[in-house]
Amino acid sequence: MIPLKEYGRLEVGMTIIDSNGIEATVESIGEGGLVKVNGQMFMWDWDRLHPAVMVKETAAEREERLKRKVVQAPEQSWW
């Protein structure tokens, strides 16, 4: 895990852990810093971000993990 302030950006799909150890997934990032995390909307403020907030999984890592869980059916010839 890496501190979110050190990572330096917020991504849709990213999993973060707050200073109390609670996991949250970033669902959307809107105009003017409006962020939806675990169904709650709030204004994002990097200056007020607690230094103990950590990145558990980046959006790319999450996408790769989810792709590995999908089982692809073998291709079949229909002719």
Side-chain angles (χ1 to χ4, degrees):
M1 284 192 290
I2 184 170
L4 183 54
K5 280 194 172 188
E6 185 178 320
Y7 188 71
R9 66 180 179 271
L10 197 61
E11 304 167 342
V12 174
M14 169 184 275
T15 302
I16 57 176
I17 300 177
D18 73 7
S19 57
N20 297 318
I22 298 171
E23 286 189 22
T25 301
V26 179
E27 297 170 8
S28 66
I29 302 171
E31 295 292 321
L34 189 62
V35 176
K36 186 175 182 180
V37 178
N38 284 4
Q40 297 181 358
M41 304 268 307
F42 60 93
M43 294 300 293
W44 189 261
D45 185 354
W46 282 101
D47 296 329
R48 297 184 62 198
L49 182 64
H50 195 283
V53 175
M54 301 293 226
V55 175
K56 178 178 179 184
E57 185 175 51
T58 66
E61 291 169 339
R62 180 175 188 261
E63 184 176 329
E64 182 63 31
R65 178 178 54 84
L66 294 175
K67 280 183 181 178
R68 283 192 308 250
K69 288 185 177 183
V70 175
V71 177
Q72 296 290 332
E75 290 187 30
Q76 297 179 1
S77 176
W78 294 99
W79 46 279

